Amino acid sequence: MIKRGVVVIHLPFVYEGVVSSFVSMALRLFSFSGCRSFLREHISPKATLCALRQSGWIESRLGGNFIELYGHKLQRNSLLLQDELHVLLHLCRSAEDMKTARDAVYRYHAENRNGKYKFGPVFIRLCYELGLEKMAAATLTDKEMRGFFSDFTSFNIGIDMLFVKGYYDDALEVLQFMRRQRVPFNKETLMLASAVCYKLNTTESHAICTSLIEEAQVKGRSVTRHAYCFAVALALKQNDVQRAQALFAQIVSTDRICQNLKILLLVMSGATQEAIVDLSSAVQLSKSPSFFRKPEFSQELLDQMRLRIVGEAQATEAEQVISELERAGQVTRQTLDDMLCHTPTAPKRKMAPIVREKRTSRRIRKPLHSTLTSE
Ligand SMILES: *[C@@H]1O[C@H](CO)[C@@H](O)[C@H](O)[C@H]1NC(C)=O
């Protein structure tokens, strides 16, 4: 499972089909005549592959060679076989390799419009690993490749990658391309769309986000809480408090993002007194020896509240509750944006005594391989 950006994408990491063909091809390339029967009798192809991969031996010794040979093959216009393409993709380790891979998938797609195996997700994931987000975006939105990326999986990976790298305009373009090509959105796509629109923070992106969510509601598709949260936060950024309220009413959750959004919503809609009441009850909650996690509020949010009520009668009351929150350790430096764009945390353990939530590093900064193998 790949876990990065703002979504969790389920994808086989080792694609099974490649294993046996990879081993047999490796054996052919090496003429391992002596150990062939030994391998067959004692070691499963998968184990062999793992061992070879772990040592990085094949890749370093022959990967480059294979890719070079493959490049020649492409130039000779000879027929591309599915198994060979598997191996080629498997051996790609650099941007240079990926140029050959891209040429190969274009050729393969042109020759096999109805190819059984879907290389799309593997190709895009490789772009992800090698930091080739522009190549991914260009390939995903190329009309010549229509049908190669047949479902939302490849698109979701691509959009997630563009989001993580901060290419929000490109991400929106990919989303719009999906719409035009009638590639159905799943709930992760919708959440990514919401996230991208939130980051763009324009009148247009606000309108897009709203209409996508409304459409999903009308069609009875599920909208994740996270998608709603981005939409609420975007509406608030755009000062559309009414829309934010309507969207917020759809969320039935009391997690940290929602608690913070609610306070911001109350403050922005002029219901400061209600916000203060909410904050006071959060302080009370922290005093009771309960199993609930202490609600935490963003410093940024509390500052915003202060600004709104400067000189008003409630100001003193607000200051009081804010300092109580500070004393109880319920104020965090994390901004609302940090909370929204963080990895969703593991499901809550119901009755466990609450330890402070572990601060996970921002996924964007984690080394790739740890995120690839983390789940
Ligand atoms: C979002 O857009 C609004 C309206 O254009 C603008 O006033 C606001 O400062 C923007 N917010 C951020 C965080 O960029």
Side-chain angles (χ1 to χ4, degrees), residues 198-203 234 236-239 300 337:
Y198 158 82
K199 284 291 192 183
L200 285 169
N201 184 34
T202 60
T203 319
L234 172 57
L236 290 176
K237 271 204 214 175
Q238 290 287 312
N239 212 10
E300 177 201 37
D337 185 86

Short mmCIF file of all heavy atoms in Angstrom, two decimals, residues 198-203 234 236-239 300 337, ligand 1:
data_model
loop_
_atom_site.label_atom_id
_atom_site.label_comp_id
_atom_site.label_asym_id
_atom_site.label_seq_id
_atom_site.Cartn_x
_atom_site.Cartn_y
_atom_site.Cartn_z
N TYR A 198 -8.69 23.56 -2.48
CA TYR A 198 -8.39 24.29 -1.24
C TYR A 198 -7.07 25.03 -1.37
O TYR A 198 -6.94 26.20 -1.03
CB TYR A 198 -8.37 23.31 -0.07
CG TYR A 198 -7.59 23.76 1.14
CD1 TYR A 198 -8.17 24.61 2.07
CD2 TYR A 198 -6.28 23.32 1.34
CE1 TYR A 198 -7.45 25.03 3.18
CE2 TYR A 198 -5.56 23.72 2.44
CZ TYR A 198 -6.14 24.58 3.36
OH TYR A 198 -5.42 25.00 4.44
N LYS A 199 -6.06 24.33 -1.90
CA LYS A 199 -4.74 24.95 -2.05
C LYS A 199 -4.78 26.08 -3.08
O LYS A 199 -4.10 27.08 -2.92
CB LYS A 199 -3.70 23.90 -2.46
CG LYS A 199 -3.26 23.00 -1.30
CD LYS A 199 -2.46 23.79 -0.29
CE LYS A 199 -1.78 22.88 0.71
NZ LYS A 199 -1.06 23.65 1.74
N LEU A 200 -5.53 25.90 -4.15
CA LEU A 200 -5.61 26.94 -5.18
C LEU A 200 -6.29 28.20 -4.64
O LEU A 200 -5.92 29.31 -5.01
CB LEU A 200 -6.33 26.41 -6.42
CG LEU A 200 -5.52 25.44 -7.28
CD1 LEU A 200 -6.40 24.77 -8.32
CD2 LEU A 200 -4.35 26.16 -7.96
N ASN A 201 -7.30 28.01 -3.79
CA ASN A 201 -7.97 29.13 -3.15
C ASN A 201 -8.36 30.25 -4.12
O ASN A 201 -7.99 31.40 -3.93
CB ASN A 201 -7.09 29.68 -2.01
CG ASN A 201 -7.76 30.78 -1.22
OD1 ASN A 201 -8.98 30.77 -1.04
ND2 ASN A 201 -7.00 31.75 -0.76
N THR A 202 -9.08 29.89 -5.17
CA THR A 202 -9.58 30.92 -6.08
C THR A 202 -11.11 30.79 -6.14
O THR A 202 -11.66 29.78 -5.71
CB THR A 202 -9.05 30.71 -7.52
OG1 THR A 202 -9.48 29.42 -7.98
CG2 THR A 202 -7.54 30.81 -7.57
N THR A 203 -11.73 31.82 -6.69
CA THR A 203 -13.18 31.78 -6.86
C THR A 203 -13.55 30.54 -7.69
O THR A 203 -14.51 29.83 -7.39
CB THR A 203 -13.67 33.04 -7.60
OG1 THR A 203 -12.96 34.15 -7.08
CG2 THR A 203 -15.15 33.23 -7.43
N LEU A 234 -11.80 25.73 2.59
CA LEU A 234 -11.74 26.55 1.38
C LEU A 234 -12.84 27.62 1.41
O LEU A 234 -12.59 28.79 1.12
CB LEU A 234 -11.88 25.67 0.13
CG LEU A 234 -12.03 26.39 -1.21
CD1 LEU A 234 -10.86 27.33 -1.48
CD2 LEU A 234 -12.14 25.38 -2.35
N LEU A 236 -14.18 28.93 3.92
CA LEU A 236 -13.82 29.95 4.92
C LEU A 236 -12.74 30.88 4.37
O LEU A 236 -12.78 32.08 4.57
CB LEU A 236 -13.37 29.30 6.22
CG LEU A 236 -14.49 28.61 7.03
CD1 LEU A 236 -13.92 27.91 8.25
CD2 LEU A 236 -15.56 29.61 7.45
N LYS A 237 -11.76 30.29 3.66
CA LYS A 237 -10.71 31.12 3.06
C LYS A 237 -11.35 32.10 2.09
O LYS A 237 -10.88 33.23 1.94
CB LYS A 237 -9.74 30.23 2.27
CG LYS A 237 -8.56 29.69 3.06
CD LYS A 237 -7.47 29.39 2.05
CE LYS A 237 -6.61 28.22 2.34
NZ LYS A 237 -5.67 27.95 1.25
N GLN A 238 -12.36 31.64 1.39
CA GLN A 238 -13.04 32.48 0.39
C GLN A 238 -14.12 33.35 1.03
O GLN A 238 -14.89 34.00 0.33
CB GLN A 238 -13.65 31.60 -0.70
CG GLN A 238 -12.62 30.95 -1.60
CD GLN A 238 -11.99 31.95 -2.55
OE1 GLN A 238 -12.66 32.74 -3.20
NE2 GLN A 238 -10.66 31.95 -2.63
N ASN A 239 -14.16 33.31 2.35
CA ASN A 239 -15.12 34.12 3.10
C ASN A 239 -16.58 33.79 2.77
O ASN A 239 -17.45 34.64 2.82
CB ASN A 239 -14.84 35.60 2.84
CG ASN A 239 -15.18 36.44 4.07
OD1 ASN A 239 -15.44 35.88 5.14
ND2 ASN A 239 -15.21 37.74 3.92
N GLU A 300 -2.88 29.64 15.64
CA GLU A 300 -3.28 30.53 14.55
C GLU A 300 -4.77 30.89 14.65
O GLU A 300 -5.17 32.04 14.48
CB GLU A 300 -3.03 29.77 13.23
CG GLU A 300 -3.44 30.48 11.98
CD GLU A 300 -3.63 29.49 10.82
OE1 GLU A 300 -4.12 28.36 11.04
OE2 GLU A 300 -3.31 29.87 9.69
N ASP A 337 -3.91 24.44 8.21
CA ASP A 337 -3.38 23.86 6.97
C ASP A 337 -2.52 22.63 7.26
O ASP A 337 -2.64 21.61 6.58
CB ASP A 337 -2.57 24.93 6.23
CG ASP A 337 -2.08 24.44 4.89
OD1 ASP A 337 -2.84 24.56 3.92
OD2 ASP A 337 -0.95 23.93 4.82
C1 LIG B 1 -7.64 33.03 -0.24
O1 LIG B 1 -8.31 33.83 -1.18
C2 LIG B 1 -8.97 34.94 -0.59
C3 LIG B 1 -9.83 35.60 -1.65
O2 LIG B 1 -9.13 35.76 -2.84
C4 LIG B 1 -7.93 35.88 0.02
O3 LIG B 1 -8.55 37.00 0.58
C5 LIG B 1 -7.17 35.10 1.06
O4 LIG B 1 -6.12 35.87 1.61
C6 LIG B 1 -6.58 33.82 0.48
N1 LIG B 1 -6.06 33.04 1.58
C7 LIG B 1 -4.87 32.47 1.57
C8 LIG B 1 -4.48 31.73 2.77
O5 LIG B 1 -4.14 32.58 0.62
#
